[in-house]
Amino acid sequence: MKSCTKCASECQEKEAKTPEGVAYTFYKCKACGEGIVDMTQLHAVAEKYREMKKYHAKVTKWGMSLGVRIPKEIAKRYKFRDNKEVTIIPEEKGIRIIPV
Ligand SMILES: [Zn+2]
């Protein structure tokens, strides 16, 4: 059991999402509502961010359109292939690209 650093009451593990949509867990005090993130939880979310940041890419102009280079590692992992069609799904903060 995790106890609150403010009032020493029992805390409950909860799940939340960062503004970037990264899921993480934290402890919320049942009495005062204080939110606590322990080292394990912090490392887990930091690791997720590291993974995300690894794949930053630049948008470049290709003729009349814009293109994004898909890193080799990602292409391999999700089976993107040259000349293969993908589905582009517009979402609130960006797009999702799914190999067909
Ligand atoms: Zn508390």
Side-chain angles (χ1 to χ4, degrees):
M1 189 200 94
K2 190 97 180 163
S3 50
C4 178
T5 50
K6 259 192 174 173
C7 70
S9 296
E10 194 184 333
C11 292
Q12 203 175 12
E13 193 163 25
K14 297 239 180 202
E15 219 173 272
K17 272 185 181 178
T18 66
E20 290 80 20
V22 176
Y24 67 98
T25 57
F26 69 101
Y27 291 102
K28 194 179 170 80
C29 176
K30 283 177 174 178
C32 73
E34 176 80 351
I36 305 153
V37 177
D38 73 14
M39 287 311 278
T40 312
Q41 294 165 331
L42 200 65
H43 281 302
V45 74
E47 186 55 39
K48 283 184 187 176
Y49 269 97
R50 254 194 300 277
E51 281 290 310
M52 282 170 65
K53 300 270 190 269
K54 235 198 238 176
Y55 302 119
H56 272 188
K58 223 180 230 172
V59 177
T60 47
K61 199 167 183 185
W62 287 0
M64 297 296 281
S65 312
L66 293 175
V68 176
R69 269 178 211 267
I70 296 172
K72 194 179 167 187
E73 215 181 308
I74 292 283
K76 209 175 161 187
R77 183 154 136 205
Y78 295 98
K79 298 185 169 66
F80 283 102
R81 301 233 193 286
D82 188 28
N83 266 317
K84 264 204 140 187
E85 221 169 285
V86 295
T87 302
I88 296 173
I89 302 166
E91 293 188 344
E92 202 187 334
K93 286 180 180 167
I95 56 167
R96 185 190 295 251
I97 304 171
I98 298 168
V100 176

